Amino acid sequence: MKDLLVMKFGGTSVGSAERMRTAATLSAAQKRKRPVVIVVSAMSGVTDLLIETTKHAEGGDDAGRKSNLRKLEERHVQACEELLPAAKRKPVLGGIRELVGEFDRITHGMLMLEDRPPRSVDEAIAIGERLSALIIAAYLNAQGTKAEAVNAAEVIVTDAVFGSASPLMEQTTARARKLIAPLIRAGVLPVVTGFNGATADGRPTTLGRGGSDFSASILAAALGARELWIWTDVDGIMTADPRLVPEARVLEEVTYREAAELAYNGAKVLHPRTLAPLVERRIPVWSKNSFAPEKPGTKIVSRIRSSNGARAVTSLGKVAMVSLEPAQATLNGTHVMARALGALARANVEVLSLSSSSYRQSFCFLVRSEEKERAVEAMESALALELAHGYLRPIDVDEQVGLLAVVGEGMQGTPGLAGRIFTAISRERINIIAIAQGSSELTIAIVVRREGLEAAVRAVHAECAMGK
Ligand code: ASP
Ligand code: MG
C-alpha cells in the first residue's frame, strides 16, 4: 500500500460530536486524495471512566458501577444523536447499547468475583474505543464516505502481557493484509479501534494507557503506509511544556530517536513505544493539532539536516528515587545490581534512569511514583537475605525528586554543553541529586529536588536558547 496514509485521532480529537465531525472531515478530505486508514481513541475521559467502573465492581460498589454505566451510555448516545439524522440512528444506538451491555456483563462478573483479573480489565476497557469507532464510522457513512468500524482485537496480535501488551508483528501483518487491505481496495475507510489487540488465541489485551498512538504505528508498519499522522490537541512536539515555559516553541522536525527520548521522559505528544515499528521502514510521522489543522505540526524522520546542541527539555514530577547501598564492602555490588534489576524486570517496573558512582557500588534509579511500591516489594523479596543480615542498608525511597531530560542529537560531541546545563540549574540554587548520560549523548537525565523542577526546566530552556 504505497500511498496509504494512516491517521490517528486521540481522545480529545474525538471527545464530542463536534470533534468527531472535524475528525471525519479531515479523514474524508484525505481519502479523496489517497487510501486512508484511521485509528481512533476512546472519547476523552472515557477510558478513565471505564477503569473507575471496574474498580467500583471489584470493591462491591454496584451503585457506583451502574451510575458509570449510565454516564457511558449517555455520552455516546448524545454524540450519536448530535451527529446522525434520526433516520440513521437506530443501528448505531443498537450498537451502543450492545457494547454498553457487554461492559455491564464483564463488570458484573467482577462484582461477583470481587476481583478485576487483568484480562477481563483489558476486555472491558477496550469498549471505549469500540464505541467511538462505531459512531465515527457511522457518521462517515452518513456523510457519504464509505467507512467500516474494525475492532483491532481481530487485527493486532499481541503477547499475553495484559495491560501493556506488545505486538507480534508477523502475525499482525498477516491479519492486516487479510482484514484491512481488502477494505481499502474496496474504497472503504477502515476506522480501527486504538489501544486494543488480542493474543493469537483470541484473549483481549491492551497496549497500555495512551496506547492508541502505538496501535496506529503498528498498523502503519503492518500495512507499509507512506505516512502516519497523529492528531492531538497540541501544535506538535515542543521545545518544552508551554505551561512551564512560555517561550517554548514547536519543533519543525525531530528525529525518531529524539522524539522517542522526549516521549519516554514525559513529553505527552506521543506514546513512548510508538516509533519503534516505524524506524526500520522509515515511515515518517507527523504530529498535528486537530484543533488547528492548518498548522504544519512536527515531522518525525530518521535524519534531519541541522541539529545543533540541545533541542528540547522535558520533565517528570511523579517519580521516586530508589537507592540501594551495600553496608559491607565485601558484598559484590554488581551481583546486587543484577538481582535488583532482574526483580524489577519481572515485576514489570520501568527504570527511567539509573546511576551508580561510588566504589561501594551503591546505586540509585528512578521509577514512576505509581510503580514505586511494586519496585520496592520486588527488590525486598529478591534481596531478603542481604537485607535481613544487614549486608545491605534498608532500601531508601525519596519521592521529593523530579526528573528533567535534555534531548538533542546535536549534543553529541558538543563539549561544554553539560557544564553549561548544570551551571544554569545551580544558578537557580537547585541541588542536582543524580545525573545520567548514555554514551549516545542523546539525552542528559538530571534528577533534582522536586520543588526546583519547574525552575530547572526554565533555566535549561533559556540557557540552551531552545526558544530561538
Ligand atoms: N483510550 C486509551 C487511554 O486513554 C488509549 C489512548 O487514548 O491512546 O489510555
Ligand atoms: Mg487518551
Side-chain angles (χ1 to χ4, degrees):
M1 298 259 156
K2 276 218 216 69
D3 233 10
L4 177 68
L5 170 64
V6 176
M7 300 206 289
K8 178 260 173 176
F9 292 93
T12 51
S13 299
V14 296
S16 64
E18 191 203 331
R19 303 304 309 152
M20 287 180 172
R21 216 174 267 132
T22 303
T25 306
L26 290 168
S27 305
Q30 289 303 320
K31 182 158 178 291
R32 282 193 281 278
K33 300 183 208 158
R34 49 176 153 175
V36 175
V37 169
I38 68 173
V39 175
V40 296
S41 286
M43 296 177 80
S44 50
V46 164
T47 309
D48 288 332
L49 180 76
L50 297 176
I51 292 174
E52 187 192 277
T53 314
T54 64
K55 290 183 178 159
H56 285 322
E58 177 186 39
D61 174 8
D62 200 28
R65 186 185 74 95
K66 286 195 175 124
S67 133
N68 281 6
L69 282 170
R70 277 192 298 278
K71 282 187 210 154
L72 181 69
E73 179 159 339
E74 274 164 22
R75 177 109 184 256
H76 291 90
V77 165
Q78 189 192 346
C80 169
E81 287 174 346
E82 282 178 40
L83 287 170
L84 297 173
K88 292 195 170 159
R89 277 178 211 159
K90 209 172 159 214
V92 185
L93 290 173
I96 293 172
R97 300 230 158 81
E98 221 169 89
L99 286 168
V100 174
E102 202 174 319
F103 186 70
D104 184 7
R105 271 194 306 284
I106 304 169
T107 53
H108 187 259
M110 293 175 179
L111 185 80
M112 297 288 98
L113 284 171
E114 294 178 14
D115 190 16
R116 332 183 278 145
R119 50 181 291 186
S120 309
V121 171
D122 277 3
E123 182 173 15
I125 64 181
I127 285 173
E129 270 70 14
R130 291 168 65 194
L131 284 162
S132 58
L134 170 78
I135 298 172
I136 293 164
Y139 178 66
L140 280 160
N141 279 309
Q143 295 297 110
T145 302
K146 271 201 284 174
E148 193 174 315
V150 177
N151 183 354
E154 313 282 329
V155 183
I156 296 183
V157 182
T158 70
D159 61 17
V161 181
F162 299 102
S164 178
S166 297
L168 305 175
M169 284 311 287
E170 227 168 272
Q171 297 177 52
T172 301
T173 302
R175 297 258 190 113
R177 288 203 181 123
K178 198 167 136 218
L179 295 169
I180 299 199
L183 291 176
I184 301 170
R185 277 196 292 274
V188 174
L189 195 166
V191 180
V192 187
T193 58
F195 190 39
N196 69 329
T199 59
D201 57 359
R203 289 171 292 159
T205 55
T206 61
L207 306 171
R209 289 309 305 274
S212 298
D213 291 348
F214 194 26
S215 309
S217 76
I218 292 166
L219 288 174
L223 292 162
R226 166 150 299 174
E227 282 183 1
L228 168 62
W229 293 10
I230 296 194
W231 292 99
T232 64
D233 53 5
V234 290
D235 288 343
I237 296 180
M238 303 194 66
T239 53
D241 183 339
R243 286 167 303 181
L244 300 184
V245 185
E247 310 80 61
R249 66 181 175 88
V250 175
L251 290 157
E252 257 169 67
E253 279 191 331
V254 299
T255 66
Y256 290 125
R257 300 199 315 158
E258 288 172 336
E261 286 291 323
L262 291 169
Y264 187 72
N265 289 296
K268 298 229 167 44
V269 276
L270 271 187
H271 186 273
R273 295 204 279 170
T274 307
L275 298 166
L278 307 171
V279 173
E280 198 183 316
R281 292 169 174 271
R282 299 186 175 217
I283 299 172
V285 185
W286 286 90
S287 163
K288 289 166 90 68
N289 188 352
S290 73
F291 290 79
E294 67 293 347
K295 292 193 178 158
T298 300
K299 190 177 188 185
I300 308 169
V301 289
S302 356
R303 210 168 281 154
I304 55 178
R305 277 146 290 155
S306 69
S307 126
N308 29 30
R311 306 190 67 215
V313 52
T314 57
S315 59
L316 280 173
K318 288 185 184 146
V319 292
M321 193 167 72
V322 182
S323 309
L324 242 64
E325 191 179 342
Q328 297 188 6
T330 48
L331 193 71
N332 183 326
T334 310
H335 279 178
V336 171
M337 225 185 273
R339 282 170 45 212
L341 289 175
L344 294 173
R346 282 190 299 279
N348 229 336
V349 172
E350 197 168 17
V351 174
L352 297 168
S353 88
L354 175 80
S355 34
S356 167
S357 51
S358 107
Y359 86 102
R360 287 166 50 162
Q361 311 214 31
S362 67
F363 70 105
C364 61
F365 56 86
L366 214 64
V367 296
R368 294 180 206 285
S369 290
E370 72 255 26
E371 300 192 338
K372 164 200 72 182
E373 266 144 46
R374 233 169 55 233
V376 172
E377 266 167 36
M379 289 192 308
E380 280 178 345
S381 84
L383 298 164
L385 275 180
E386 288 80 357
L387 287 163
H389 294 292
Y391 291 116
L392 267 179
R393 292 192 197 289
I395 296 171
D396 182 63
V397 181
D398 185 350
E399 285 205 88
Q400 298 310 312
V401 298
L403 171 74
L404 94 160
V406 191
V407 175
E409 299 263 12
M411 297 201 305
Q412 191 173 7
T414 308
L417 191 62
R420 273 173 48 211
I421 289 170
F422 299 144
T423 309
I425 294 174
S426 53
R427 232 184 275 127
E428 301 295 314
R429 307 204 164 280
I430 297 161
N431 190 24
I432 294 177
I433 302 169
I435 301 164
Q437 180 186 324
S439 52
S440 71
E441 296 184 52
L442 184 63
T443 299
I444 301 178
I446 303 167
V447 181
V448 296
R449 283 268 143 247
R450 179 64 190 83
E451 70 267 13
L453 183 61
E454 284 81 8
V457 167
R458 282 190 282 272
V460 170
H461 195 270
E463 174 63 38
C464 299
M466 289 170 179
K468 308 217 168 80

